[in-house]
Amino acid sequence: RKEVEQDPGPFNVPEGATVAFNCTYSNSASQSFFWYRQDCRKEPKLLMSVYSSGNEDGRFTAQLNRASQYISLLIRDSKLSDSATYLCVVNDYKLSFGAGTTVTVRA
Amino acid sequence: EAGVTQFPSHSVIEKGQTVTLRCDPISGHDNLYWYRRVMGKEIKFLLHFVKESKQDESGMPNNRFLAERTGGTYSTLKVQPAELEDSGVYFCASSSRSVFSNQPQHFGDGTRLSIL
């Protein structure tokens, strides 16, 4: 079983739509989680940390479900600039990456 | 503040040759990491330095890969001799000195390595 699994998508949504996707992780002892964003042929960039109570940063909401070992990301009011690959990352001191979920926002 | 910088941005070499990648972390970051993404796969951890010491090198694929961080500043990753399966994007990341594991890591642009 992979350490981090994500739905690869792609999620193709119109501007203004809401899109949400999950990832699951295998290590029940993991404590720290992030969502990174990666644009084509660019480096991963930190989008947001994921806290146990769930957290929001503007149009982005991240939630953590420890019992089921999954993390979710929700994007509200999608913009064209949100088109990217979103990487679910588990931080067990070294980072374990999911393969990424591709989101394409169309005009 | 300058980010993580990597050099070169792209390297094309023939099988059997040697290549050395360099990473300059964010100033003051004691933790330096190397990762690799091969085509079609997720980004994978290679190794972790704390200052000049190797904290974890469990992700290094084999002994053709040698990482160093003399002086605890920049790091190099040498591949010798390079094989076709070494092709991919090599990312370096750094994080601030902290004993806690929830410090985010900041990534460089990566070195795209192509072995012919």
Side-chain angles (χ1 to χ4, degrees):
Chain A
R1 184 184 171 188
K2 286 187 177 180
E3 293 178 51
V4 183
E5 298 210 51
Q6 290 185 250
D7 181 346
F11 289 82
N12 190 324
V13 301
E15 268 189 295
T18 296
V19 60
F21 40 89
N22 296 336
C23 91
T24 58
Y25 59 95
S26 61
N27 182 2
S28 60
S30 296
Q31 294 293 317
S32 177
F33 309 90
F34 301 103
W35 282 102
Y36 276 74
R37 169 196 169 124
Q38 187 171 27
D39 294 290
C40 188
R41 300 175 79 88
K42 296 284 190 179
E43 78 279 17
K45 289 187 177 176
L46 178 67
L47 178 66
M48 60 195 303
S49 303
V50 184
Y51 301 115
S52 56
S53 56
N55 49 298
E56 195 172 301
D57 183 359
R59 298 181 293 106
F60 297 84
T61 301
Q63 291 205 311
L64 168 64
N65 184 317
R66 290 190 188 276
S68 301
Q69 290 178 222
Y70 79 79
I71 305 148
S72 65
L73 181 67
L74 182 145
I75 307 173
R76 285 186 302 279
D77 188 23
S78 300
K79 310 291 184 191
L80 294 175
S81 57
D82 295 334
S83 298
T85 297
Y86 291 84
L87 303 172
C88 177
V89 181
V90 177
N91 185 10
D92 293 322
Y93 203 52
K94 61 189 181 190
L95 300 184
S96 296
F97 286 82
T101 298
T102 299
V103 173
T104 301
V105 181
R106 63 183 189 274
Chain B
E1 179 185 72
V4 177
T5 57
Q6 292 186 244
F7 181 82
S9 57
H10 196 173
S11 180
V12 181
I13 62 170
E14 292 187 348
K15 176 184 170 181
Q17 290 187 320
T18 297
V19 62
T20 300
L21 314 181
R22 173 171 169 144
C23 168
D24 287 78
I26 292 172
S27 178
H29 281 193
D30 288 347
N31 296 281
L32 186 150
Y33 306 81
W34 283 99
Y35 294 87
R36 176 174 77 168
R37 184 172 204 163
V38 296
M39 191 182 300
K41 302 282 189 180
E42 63 273 18
I43 297 171
K44 288 279 198 183
F45 167 83
L46 295 179
L47 88 158
H48 170 211
F49 284 99
V50 177
K51 296 185 179 179
E52 67 276 9
S53 300
K54 290 177 186 174
Q55 182 75 18
D56 180 353
E57 52 184 329
S58 60
M60 294 288 262
N62 51 61
N63 60 10
R64 294 185 293 102
F65 288 76
L66 175 65
E68 294 180 319
R69 194 184 181 195
T70 307
T73 53
Y74 71 91
S75 174
T76 58
L77 179 64
K78 178 165 36 175
V79 185
Q80 178 183 32
E83 299 289 343
L84 297 178
E85 65 265 24
D86 301 333
S87 295
V89 182
Y90 289 76
F91 290 106
C92 176
S94 73
S95 65
S96 59
R97 64 175 78 99
S98 173
V99 298
F100 301 108
S101 65
N102 63 347
Q103 291 296 310
Q105 296 177 20
H106 303 273
F107 282 76
D109 291 344
T111 293
R112 192 168 300 275
L113 179 62
S114 301
I115 313 299
L116 305 179

